[in-house]
Amino acid sequence: MGATGDRIGPARSRERFLVGEPVATGVRGSILDSWQRCRLLGLSPDGAELPYRDDFDRDGRLVRAARPVLDQLESRFSGSRMNISVADAEGTVLERRFGEPSLARSLPPIQSVPGFVFAERYAGTNGIGLALAERQLIRVYGAEHFAERGQANACCAVPIRDQLSGHILGVLCFGYPYAYERPALSDLLQRAAATIERRLLEQSSARERALLHAYLDAERYARPGATVADGAGAEHLLGPDRVAGPGRSEDPDHHLVDLELDPHDRAILKEKATELISTARRGAVGVALPHGREATLLSHSVTSPSGVSGVVVEALLSSDNPAVHRLSVSPRPGPPAAPPAVAGEALPAPPGATTGYGPGYGPGTVRGLVLVGEPAVGRYAIEARRRLELLAEASTRIGTTLDVDRTAWELAELAVPGLADYVTVDLPEAVLRGDEAGEPGTGLHRTVVHGIRDDCPFFPVGEALDFHTGTVHMRALSSGRAVLEPELADAAGWFAQSPERSQQVLDHGVHSLIAVPLFARGVLLGVVSFYRSQDPAPYGEDDSRLAQELAARAALCIDNARCYTREHTLALALQRSLLPRGLPELGAVEVAHRYLPAESGVGGDWFDVIPLSGTRVALLVGDVVGHGLHAAATMGRLRTAARNFAELELAPDELLTHLDNLLVRLDREEGGDEADGSTGIVGATCLYAVYDPTTRQCTMARAGHLPPAVVRPDGSVTFPELPAGPPLGLGGLPFETAGFELPADSTLVLYTDGLVEDRHRDIDVSLDQLRTVLGHPDRTPEETCGAVMEALAPEHPADDIALLVARTHALPADRIASWDLPADPARVGEVRAAVTRRLAEWGLEELSFAAELMLSELATNAIRYGNEPIQVRLVLDRTLICEVSDGSSTAPHLRRSASTDEGGRGLFLVAQLAQSWGTRYTPQGKVIWAECALDAA
């Protein structure tokens, strides 16, 4: 929002905000966030007096670095109403410059005198305070200022950072009339700030060069007759490949020795020396080098003439140590130097060293400089290495699964304690389901709370969160960038969410926070918060960048898991819709089932129970190769086809042949086109069993599937030897049917390979375990299912598991009646009379007319069109079943007879009287059957 006419900034929006009306548009997010914070801080728009400090350092390193830059800017803007200021990290103005010097006399002190504090918590929305709060380049125009006093002008401000640590040291700010606004001002401001940052870095280099000079001067003074070359540069090491510097050998002339080391050895010594400098440790430390070699590092204090204190680290090695590749000795005579200003204790002697050439030195010992520097800089190097190691570890520890919740936990577990003492992750419920999130900050749920202690009073896992506008979390979500709060105690927006809980968190020592939005592929997934408590130093820019990098990597993994969850949910929903929603109640078997989808992907396992004619029942389990939507859809096709083929009363081997042909055709139609990326159908396994309770016969055929388990009433468990058969989809290979008789109250257990086989289990061991679990014939099918799943189902299944348990029953002999019928139409009447008597015995006299008529028509057709032997059978189960069998394989067809036809109406009458009717084929011929509901009368 810039200048428009005589007005500047969103004046009307500000007025609406101040009276409590909602502000939806017209205000930049950073400005609106700042207004919210100002309101939470209790600031007044008419402005209170800003605090003034007179104890600031008027000649500190920031001011010294900035003065030449300010001089140039003052000259550049000469004659203008430009106000240039430098403030420290607390918002205290350290120095001001004006394009027109007379402005300093005409402006009020608050705008002209250094020492006033412009931090947001005192001055409200302004360039200096907002640049510190937002930690980036900021522009504030007229009415965007919260306080009335700033609305006549515009300002542009940018943080100044220490390039070594990344910490914000101050702010460079331009203040000017809004008519001066130009796009080039921002570029000029950033270039000026970068110049100040470079000068600050040069100050650090100068300090370390001064330390190195002090060390070298100390060496010249300590050893008259020895001189060293002054080759110090900006780097700590003298040269890229050497541990070099003033040295001593057993040469009595005190020659300078340069050590050339193996790069790996040099890296080890440099890393250890960095740790010694960062901790300011003094003394001798042994360092193990590869292949059993050793070196000794000596650290001691050194102070430059200007008063800079640092640490020197030297290496002692034996001259015959294999680590020393070469000694280059050169005499360097020279006069003794003046005593330097060196503070520190004497070097202690390393273990085993003699002192023929001074403390810690002896014959055969070579000494060289490793590092010299200030402890703070050493700590920066240690921190930088730690951050790199943490990022490298993130690539292997985050995203090990395709589970959204687990990926969020992996992020938290990695960050604690490497980056944070506590981590919270808040994700919308939609993301947990696999969908995209809605509006930022809506529908959030606390997904992870992890830290060094379990009693820190954060909002618990599972709680719904509604972050207030102005809180750190909402600022991160709405702006789409990380928000750093170095001092939580001063973060009014954070307190506004829950003052009591926020104070409890502070009481647990938490003092600094980084909130980072989780963005991946343009999708906002949630927010992760990193809290610090144990380290007294607040979070800095380097910490924020590390947090953003970790969050970016985790967000990509979470988004992958979210997309997978969505696909998995869709596939699972499709799969469940294609599986039986309920099993029919049958007299032949008592059935229970279990289905457990794979954790990492939906497969194509299925099961089914299909009622057949004559009280028989078909049991079916199958497994499509592969996972995902394609496997689930293929499973649905196979299950539907299997039911249709079963309705045709096909034998098990014939049914599998039809399924095999179906898969071959689908594979040819769908798998042959590579243009759409389809992988086709690899195949499937299947087991199909038919049980007849009237004969207790069970016939089975399998296509590459595991055999079933048979539990007999005495508790014995067997796995019948069935012909294996090829998997479905190969095409052209035969299947075989095997039959056997089951005692009443036996149990058939059908299952898929996910129950007994995976890469961590041996199938033979699992089958033995299954045999043991099934050896309890007194259990119901439901209890058997529970026991099997508890004993064999893995905690995290890699494949689908389908389990079908069926306890078989035998139909009592007194509920079956059959009569052999000669091929003589005159004998049909005798059968009708016998049927009437049996129905009377069963108490079904009301069904006599329909049953007699149906059997009469079917028997007459069998005599007229079929072959002997002819048999009539009645079966009383949940329905009354009338059957007529003969030795012919010719099936009758229902047709509509014309009014002039003398016959052709028998099957039409049967279809009208029966609940259902049909034909099934047997090895001896066919059976025509018809069912009547028991309540039909």
Side-chain angles (χ1 to χ4, degrees):
M1 180 71 67
T4 55
D6 294 333
R7 301 180 63 83
I8 178 173
R12 295 178 182 175
S13 297
R14 180 176 175 276
E15 292 171 0
R16 290 197 300 270
F17 175 82
L18 293 177
V19 298
E21 295 181 3
V23 180
T25 59
V27 182
R28 291 180 291 148
S30 59
I31 300 298
L32 185 57
D33 289 343
S34 180
W35 288 358
Q36 296 283 0
R37 293 194 296 272
C38 293
R39 171 182 285 171
L40 294 170
L41 288 165
L43 299 180
S44 174
D46 51 15
E49 291 299 323
L50 299 186
Y52 175 78
R53 295 176 50 194
D54 58 5
D55 59 345
F56 64 92
D57 189 351
R58 299 175 184 271
D59 196 36
R61 60 191 295 253
L62 177 58
V63 175
R64 293 197 306 272
R67 275 175 184 161
V69 179
L70 295 178
D71 291 341
Q72 294 182 20
L73 291 173
E74 184 178 12
S75 175
R76 182 186 184 99
F77 292 113
S78 177
S80 72
R81 298 180 61 82
M82 182 68 70
N83 181 338
I84 309 161
S85 59
V86 170
D88 64 15
E90 302 299 324
T92 303
V93 175
L94 304 178
E95 187 155 339
R96 284 188 181 275
R97 301 292 180 88
F98 298 93
E100 176 56 55
S102 62
L103 284 176
R105 297 187 295 271
S106 62
L107 292 175
I110 195 174
Q111 297 180 14
S112 59
V113 178
F116 286 95
V117 182
F118 280 81
E120 188 182 63
R121 62 180 180 273
Y122 303 120
T125 307
N126 71 91
I128 293 175
L130 193 53
L132 290 173
E134 298 291 330
R135 313 181 77 81
Q136 62 177 339
L137 175 70
I138 283 294
R139 301 179 187 85
V140 183
Y141 304 103
E144 291 183 332
H145 290 85
F146 187 78
E148 301 284 352
R149 59 173 170 265
Q151 296 190 17
N153 295 305
C155 59
C156 182
V158 67
I160 300 171
R161 291 180 170 85
D162 184 336
Q163 293 188 356
L164 286 176
S165 66
H167 295 160
I168 290 180
L169 301 180
V171 175
L172 178 63
C173 180
F174 291 169
Y176 46 88
Y178 63 82
Y180 283 16
E181 173 62 30
R182 299 289 187 275
L185 281 180
S186 296
D187 295 335
L188 177 62
L189 182 70
Q190 290 177 302
R191 292 200 305 272
T195 302
I196 297 174
E197 291 174 351
R198 286 196 300 271
R199 292 181 58 81
L200 287 168
L201 184 61
E202 289 172 1
Q203 289 181 12
S204 298
S205 299
R207 291 163 64 93
E208 293 200 350
R209 284 197 298 270
L211 287 173
L212 185 57
H213 280 294
Y215 166 74
L216 298 176
D217 290 342
E219 285 299 308
R220 287 194 296 269
Y221 175 74
R223 293 291 178 185
T227 62
V228 295
D230 184 2
E235 294 187 0
H236 301 304
L237 281 179
L238 300 180
D241 299 317
R242 291 185 295 179
V243 176
R248 299 293 185 272
S249 71
E250 57 269 44
D251 190 329
D253 293 328
H254 308 301
H255 296 110
L256 174 68
V257 176
D258 288 349
L259 308 181
E260 282 199 5
L261 296 180
D262 178 90
H264 185 56
D265 297 338
R266 177 172 51 83
I268 294 174
L269 293 177
K270 181 180 177 181
E271 180 176 349
K272 188 61 178 179
T274 304
E275 294 178 3
L276 291 174
I277 293 176
S278 68
T279 58
R281 292 179 56 184
R282 309 293 185 265
V285 176
V287 179
L289 297 175
H291 309 298
R293 298 168 295 164
E294 290 187 359
T296 301
L297 292 182
L298 304 176
S299 64
H300 61 95
S301 302
V302 61
T303 304
S304 71
S306 61
V308 178
S309 297
V311 177
V312 170
V313 180
E314 300 171 302
L316 296 181
L317 299 96
S318 171
S319 61
D320 58 356
N321 193 316
V324 182
H325 288 208
R326 184 180 63 188
L327 298 180
S328 58
V329 182
S330 57
R332 297 180 184 269
V342 177
E345 61 275 14
L347 297 177
T354 61
T355 57
Y357 290 93
Y361 305 100
T365 300
V366 178
R367 168 180 167 234
L369 174 66
V370 179
L371 282 176
V372 59
E374 297 179 80
V377 178
R379 284 194 291 273
Y380 299 152
I382 294 292
E383 288 296 311
R385 186 172 69 245
R386 180 184 61 82
R387 292 186 177 100
L388 289 175
E389 292 171 350
L390 195 64
L391 287 176
E393 192 177 359
S395 62
T396 59
R397 289 185 55 185
I398 299 178
T400 60
T401 68
L402 287 172
D403 179 80
V404 174
D405 188 81
R406 182 59 205 156
T407 304
W409 272 100
E410 288 171 346
L411 168 61
E413 290 167 348
L414 174 70
V416 176
L419 174 61
D421 298 310
Y422 298 95
V423 173
T424 63
V425 181
D426 306 313
L427 302 176
E429 188 177 7
V431 171
L432 296 173
R433 294 195 308 265
D435 300 327
E436 293 188 5
E439 292 295 323
T442 60
L444 289 174
H445 282 72
R446 177 58 48 87
T447 306
V448 174
V449 177
H450 181 60
I452 56 176
R453 293 170 54 184
D454 296 331
D455 59 345
C456 199
F458 293 103
F459 289 109
V461 171
E463 182 160 337
L465 301 175
D466 183 16
F467 289 120
H468 296 173
T469 302
T471 60
V472 181
H473 305 83
M474 182 55 74
R475 287 163 58 194
L477 287 166
S478 58
S479 66
R481 56 181 177 80
V483 176
L484 169 60
E485 282 288 358
E487 298 294 339
L488 272 180
D490 298 331
W494 184 68
F495 268 93
Q497 182 69 32
S498 176
E500 180 180 357
R501 189 181 293 272
S502 298
Q503 187 59 51
Q504 292 173 351
V505 172
L506 289 180
D507 293 342
H508 275 69
V510 176
H511 61 82
S512 194
L513 163 65
I514 304 172
V516 187
L518 293 168
F519 262 108
R521 303 182 180 97
V523 178
L524 179 63
L525 303 172
V527 62
V528 54
S529 304
F530 304 89
Y531 297 87
R532 175 172 285 178
S533 64
Q534 288 193 320
D535 189 343
Y539 278 129
E541 290 299 319
D542 282 352
D543 300 306
S544 179
R545 285 192 288 269
L546 176 60
Q548 292 176 64
E549 183 66 27
L550 291 178
R553 298 189 182 197
L556 188 60
C557 295
I558 289 174
D559 192 51
N560 290 339
R562 178 189 66 84
C563 295
Y564 169 79
T565 299
R566 178 177 59 188
E567 180 181 344
H568 180 77
T569 301
L570 291 174
L572 188 60
L574 173 62
Q575 186 183 47
R576 291 194 181 281
S577 69
L578 297 174
L579 289 171
R581 298 191 178 184
L583 298 181
E585 293 186 6
L586 302 170
V589 292
E590 178 186 354
V591 180
H593 65 91
R594 290 289 189 277
Y595 185 83
L596 182 63
E599 187 177 78
S600 59
V602 174
D605 292 17
W606 87 95
F607 64 91
D608 210 345
V609 178
I610 308 172
L612 301 177
S613 64
T615 71
R616 297 172 308 130
V617 61
L619 306 173
L620 178 68
V621 292
D623 182 2
V624 175
V625 176
H627 291 84
L629 288 171
H630 188 261
T634 303
M635 175 271 290
R637 287 176 165 181
L638 284 177
R639 177 174 174 257
T640 301
R643 291 190 71 92
N644 292 334
F645 293 147
E647 292 287 340
L648 296 176
E649 302 283 358
L650 298 178
D653 56 340
E654 295 179 9
L655 183 139
L656 293 181
T657 299
H658 283 282
L659 291 180
D660 182 49
N661 293 335
L662 172 65
L663 270 186
V664 170
R665 185 170 64 255
L666 291 177
D667 195 18
R668 184 169 53 250
E669 294 173 354
E670 299 182 1
D673 185 8
E674 299 181 358
D676 61 356
S678 174
T679 59
I681 301 168
V682 176
T685 65
C686 184
L687 171 65
Y688 184 75
V690 177
Y691 174 70
D692 187 346
T694 63
T695 61
R696 293 184 285 107
Q697 285 290 320
C698 183
T699 56
M700 299 182 184
R702 63 185 179 121
H705 203 85
L706 293 171
V710 177
V711 185
R712 299 185 182 275
D714 60 1
S716 61
V717 181
T718 59
F719 296 93
E721 291 292 336
L722 301 178
L728 300 177
L730 297 181
L733 299 176
F735 301 94
E736 297 182 51
T737 297
F740 48 89
E741 184 176 320
L742 290 177
D745 296 324
S746 297
T747 301
L748 279 172
V749 181
L750 288 70
Y751 50 90
T752 56
D753 58 357
L755 181 69
V756 295
E757 185 179 15
D758 59 40
R759 60 182 179 180
H760 303 295
R761 296 185 295 171
D762 183 82
I763 187 171
D764 293 330
V765 175
S766 297
L767 289 175
D768 288 340
Q769 189 177 4
L770 177 61
R771 188 194 308 272
T772 302
V773 175
L774 293 177
H776 298 273
D778 54 329
R779 288 176 178 158
T780 65
E782 189 67 30
E783 292 171 342
T784 300
C785 280
V788 169
M789 295 299 289
E790 182 178 357
L792 279 86
E795 184 177 357
H796 302 288
D799 193 7
D800 290 9
I801 296 175
L803 174 65
L804 185 62
V805 177
R807 174 164 292 175
T808 64
H809 300 303
L811 195 66
D814 59 359
R815 299 175 65 177
I816 303 172
S818 62
W819 300 271
D820 293 328
L821 179 64
D824 181 0
R827 303 290 295 274
V828 174
E830 299 177 5
V831 172
R832 286 201 301 267
V835 167
T836 301
R837 291 192 298 270
R838 181 52 62 95
L839 292 177
E841 293 176 6
W842 288 343
L844 299 176
E845 294 89 344
E846 65 275 13
L847 293 178
S848 296
F849 174 76
E852 286 184 25
L853 182 57
M854 288 189 297
L855 285 175
S856 177
E857 289 294 336
L858 294 177
T860 300
N861 283 341
I863 293 173
R864 180 177 299 178
Y865 303 110
N867 300 323
E868 293 186 302
I870 301 172
Q871 186 182 67
V872 176
R873 188 171 75 156
L874 286 182
V875 179
L876 177 59
D877 189 40
R878 296 176 181 271
T879 60
L880 177 64
I881 303 170
C882 305
E883 297 180 346
V884 175
S885 62
D886 67 80
S888 170
S889 58
T890 303
H893 296 280
L894 179 65
R895 63 185 180 88
R896 181 178 296 276
S897 301
S899 57
T900 56
D901 291 342
E902 296 184 1
R905 297 177 178 82
L907 284 180
F908 179 78
L909 291 175
V910 170
Q912 296 301 309
L913 293 173
Q915 178 177 275
S916 60
W917 73 280
T919 303
R920 69 173 181 269
Y921 296 92
T922 66
Q924 295 77 28
K926 67 176 182 296
V927 176
I928 311 297
W929 56 270
E931 291 186 5
C932 290
L934 297 182
D935 57 354

